[in-house]
Amino acid sequence: MSESPPLFLPLLCGTLATVSWSIGNVLSKAALCCIEPLSLLTAQLAVSAASLTVLSIFSGAPPRLSDWRAGLAGILQPALASGLSIFGLSMLPASIEAMLFAVELPMVILLAWLILGEIPNRAIVFLSLLAFAGVGFLQWTSESAPSATPGLGVALVLAGVLFASLYSIAVRVMSQNVDALRLTTTSQIVAFAVVVFAWICVRPLPTLSVVIGDIVPVAGSGLLLFSIPFLLYGIALQRMSATAAALLLPLVPVLTSIFASIFLRETLTATQWLGAVAVLVSALGMPLALRSQPHGSEISPHSPVGRKP
């Protein structure tokens, strides 16, 4: 009887990834007070792509031209997903933006149903509806409230969630046999190229007038929001099932809310907390509901959500 692989390393990598995403979200929100969103994203991806390329070279696995197909996934995530969400983040509290991204898992499940024909069970449908209802409560505040949520910001973040979900579906369909470091590096390089092209095409051109005081949040958020967590979560997914890894994802909005409350002095209304609880309950319950799926639709450990065997 073969022994199951140890879970300490993947659990550690996955947990550290959620902490990194949470701190990166808060740093991004802090940087947006001084830097235009597209310029911030360009600088963040430059830091991420450069650091991952250096790491790949030193590890003896530099990016190869033959990996370009795997790198195309970077157009969806982080280029489009992060591009839209960072504009949304400029209009929203960091905690709300993170809560909205918690609906990514149920959105992926619904997309897999529509695109791949993977029929969800009743529990998954219920939890998905609960998550989307929670989104409604998150933005259901009076305009006079200090933490009122602009509808445009919510729409932009949800559009980012959609592209992030499509990224998961694309990875499933592409079935690339690329290790975590190479896949992360090529995706970030392609995303950086796409964002730079968009940055150049914008009229009037955004400026990268970054002062010394901005370097720390820009470089820090680039590392903590992109290169480090994407790599760590990729390592976790290679060593444990995506269902188990998904149990860690609700930590992101929870930790983001804690860090945003401490460092950004953000607060949520009672209605928004109700929506946050609904979203988190959905995210926590989704992996348990997935376990009751038929064996033929079991999730593979090699993608954010998996692929059919």
Side-chain angles (χ1 to χ4, degrees):
M1 182 187 232
S2 62
E3 295 184 359
S4 59
L7 290 178
F8 175 75
L9 178 60
L11 282 174
L12 177 62
C13 290
T15 302
L16 290 176
T18 62
V19 175
S20 181
W21 269 316
S22 302
I23 299 175
N25 282 333
V26 174
L27 283 176
S28 292
K29 181 62 178 179
L32 282 169
C33 69
C34 308
I35 306 173
E36 183 269 336
L38 186 56
S39 296
L40 175 61
L41 180 61
T42 304
Q44 289 174 328
L45 286 176
V47 171
S48 176
S51 61
L52 287 169
T53 300
V54 171
L55 179 60
S56 297
I57 293 173
F58 275 99
S59 67
R64 301 179 301 193
L65 289 177
S66 58
D67 296 335
W68 68 272
R69 289 185 178 178
L72 289 178
I75 297 175
L76 295 172
Q77 169 77 304
L80 288 172
S82 297
L84 290 168
S85 63
I86 200 168
F87 276 95
L89 180 61
S90 66
M91 309 174 190
L92 302 171
S95 52
I96 294 293
E97 190 264 356
M99 293 291 179
L100 291 172
F101 250 91
V103 305
E104 180 180 356
L105 182 56
M107 188 174 290
V108 169
I109 300 300
L110 293 179
L111 288 173
W113 178 18
L114 297 174
I115 298 175
L116 303 179
E118 298 178 3
I119 302 176
N121 58 32
R122 293 180 180 177
I124 292 174
V125 172
F126 171 77
L127 291 172
S128 299
L129 293 175
L130 179 63
F132 293 124
V135 170
F137 281 112
L138 279 170
Q139 61 176 319
W140 190 7
T141 57
S142 62
E143 291 300 322
S144 59
S147 57
T149 306
L152 178 59
V154 172
L156 288 172
V157 173
L158 289 180
V161 175
L162 174 61
F163 282 113
S165 304
L166 288 172
Y167 166 83
S168 298
I169 300 296
V171 170
R172 297 170 68 176
V173 174
M174 289 164 58
S175 302
Q176 294 293 317
N177 295 318
V178 183
D179 67 88
L181 178 57
R182 180 171 285 123
L183 176 59
T184 305
T185 303
T186 54
S187 296
Q188 299 282 321
I189 291 174
V190 170
F192 173 63
V194 170
V195 171
V196 167
F197 178 77
W199 184 76
I200 292 174
C201 291
V202 169
R203 296 292 186 272
L205 285 174
T207 60
L208 279 174
S209 56
V210 180
V211 299
I212 297 298
D214 298 328
I215 293 178
V216 172
V218 169
S221 60
L223 293 172
L224 294 171
L225 196 59
F226 294 110
S227 56
I228 294 175
F230 274 85
L231 178 59
L232 288 174
Y233 199 67
I235 293 173
L237 286 168
Q238 286 189 334
R239 291 166 172 79
M240 67 192 299
S241 70
T243 298
L247 285 169
L248 299 171
L249 293 180
L251 287 174
V252 177
V254 172
L255 292 174
T256 300
S257 297
I258 294 173
F259 293 142
S261 174
I262 295 173
F263 298 107
L264 302 179
R265 305 293 187 222
E266 291 184 0
T267 58
L268 300 181
T269 66
T271 305
Q272 288 174 327
W273 273 118
L274 178 62
V277 169
V279 170
L280 290 176
V281 168
S282 172
L284 288 169
M286 190 65 70
L288 301 177
L290 284 171
R291 292 182 179 179
S292 63
Q293 285 284 86
H295 181 72
S297 59
E298 187 176 288
I299 289 177
S300 164
H302 298 298
S303 74
V305 174
R307 60 174 71 86
K308 287 185 178 180

